[in-house]
Amino acid sequence: VLAARLGRVERLGLELCPRIDDASLKVLESWRSLKQLDLQETAVTEAAVRKLQAARPDLYALAGPFPPA
């Protein structure tokens, strides 16, 4: 039941989740119903967010500050 509902998630707040990283964005990119994503203070890099936004221009991603390179 939960897995079926994940396909309908439109907003997801992952802020302050240090285990969310660039690999996580590859999975989230495939969630076509997702429209808003909060990635503030996670381990994702700026480059990965740019890549996500290029692949999913319909997805609003709030991100930063980014971890040091």
Side-chain angles (χ1 to χ4, degrees):
V1 175
L2 177 61
R5 291 186 181 191
L6 288 177
R8 297 190 308 231
V9 172
E10 293 184 8
R11 295 184 204 166
L12 186 60
L14 297 171
E15 66 277 6
L16 299 170
C17 294
R19 295 177 65 185
I20 301 300
D21 59 10
D22 293 358
S24 304
L25 294 189
K26 291 179 184 178
V27 173
L28 294 171
E29 181 182 324
S30 68
W31 292 22
R32 291 295 168 201
S33 64
L34 196 57
K35 300 298 178 210
Q36 296 178 0
L37 182 60
D38 190 342
L39 299 165
Q40 295 179 95
E41 298 189 42
T42 62
V44 299
T45 63
E46 187 173 3
V49 172
R50 275 192 257 118
K51 206 178 218 183
L52 174 66
Q53 290 173 327
R56 289 284 314 278
D58 61 314
L59 175 61
Y60 175 75
L62 181 60
F66 296 102

